[in-house]
Amino acid sequence: MALFRPILGELNGSLANNVFARTKGGLIVKRRAQPTNPQTQQQQLVRSYLQTMADRWNSVLTEVGRADWRAWASQQTHVNRLGESVTWSGQQEYVALGARNLRIGAPISDTIPDAPAPPPLKTVTVSADAASGDITLAFTNSPIGATHKIVAYGVLNHSPGRMPLRSNAVFLGASAAAATSPFTVTYLGGLMEDLYVTVWLYVQDGFGQQSQPIQGRSIIAI
């Protein structure tokens, strides 16, 4: 690993097989790790949803519909991993929102959203039971909107000192529309006593738009 000061301004990200990053000690460069090709059931499902939506972009939407998505997308912003605001293409927005609905068994919307993304939940209290496998999520504001659902992701059975990343969370389940607190999901993989669960809850509307997540964690009881 090398530490140096770049000649042409600040560097961040990757170039060829090198990764540049800013640290307390300055700018570092290291070799980029070669990614694996994960084949878990959940990852294969996500890939299938994305492929389905990519196919629909060409086979289902009309040119007028695609133009609507492009125009709508130009008014939306997202924050990338570097904390920068970016704009997605119309196809990226359509695929992302539709894949979210497919993930929770909701109908796909081929029309652009007619309202902003839902507001986030205010609070969440998590309780997890090893015997039943139930993870109970008590939340406010209850009930949520008439067409909104709560979508839960989590990192389960981790040590108390670990602060897991949201990017490592697995899909746990989705509530019915207009859900009231509490919302309970059952983790079929099994929960282990005295370890922790960390969850992230989103509110998702009928178009696939999601609120900002709210995080909660709890020790697993027997």
Side-chain angles (χ1 to χ4, degrees), residues 59-78:
S59 64
V60 175
L61 291 187
T62 64
E63 184 52 44
V64 171
R66 289 190 287 268
D68 286 344
W69 277 96
R70 293 186 187 106
W72 182 79
S74 68
Q75 304 301 313
Q76 313 304 311
T77 57
H78 302 272

Side-chain angles (χ1 to χ4, degrees), residues 78-212:
H78 302 272
V79 178
N80 65 17
R81 289 181 296 176
L82 298 177
E84 303 165 334
S85 293
V86 297
T87 300
W88 292 357
S89 70
Q91 183 178 19
Q92 286 174 310
E93 293 282 6
Y94 174 75
V95 169
L97 269 60
R100 288 174 186 167
N101 275 355
L102 287 173
R103 188 69 184 87
I104 65 172
I108 296 168
S109 176
D110 291 322
T111 58
I112 60 174
D114 59 5
L121 298 173
K122 294 180 179 178
T123 64
V124 58
T125 301
V126 182
S127 58
D129 183 79
S132 65
D134 286 349
I135 304 170
T136 303
L137 308 164
F139 60 89
T140 57
N141 18 338
S142 172
I144 57 175
T147 62
H148 297 171
K149 296 183 178 182
I150 295 175
V151 183
Y153 289 82
V155 175
L156 311 178
N157 298 325
H158 65 82
S159 62
R162 180 184 172 197
M163 296 302 295
L165 299 175
R166 187 170 20 136
S167 58
N168 293 330
V170 298
F171 175 74
L172 297 178
S175 73
T180 57
S181 182
F183 163 48
T184 300
V185 296
T186 298
Y187 180 56
L188 299 179
L191 297 176
M192 301 177 64
E193 182 186 6
D194 293 334
L195 293 180
Y196 270 70
V197 300
T198 297
V199 299
W200 290 264
L201 297 187
Y202 300 78
V203 181
Q204 183 168 317
D205 67 15
F207 294 97
Q209 296 183 112
Q210 288 183 338
S211 69
Q212 290 297 310

Side-chain angles (χ1 to χ4, degrees), residues 13-37:
S14 61
L15 177 64
N17 288 322
N18 299 313
V19 177
F20 301 88
R22 290 186 294 269
T23 70
K24 292 181 180 180
L27 185 71
I28 63 171
V29 58
K30 57 185 178 180
R31 298 292 290 178
R32 178 166 54 188
Q34 295 300 315
T36 58
N37 184 25

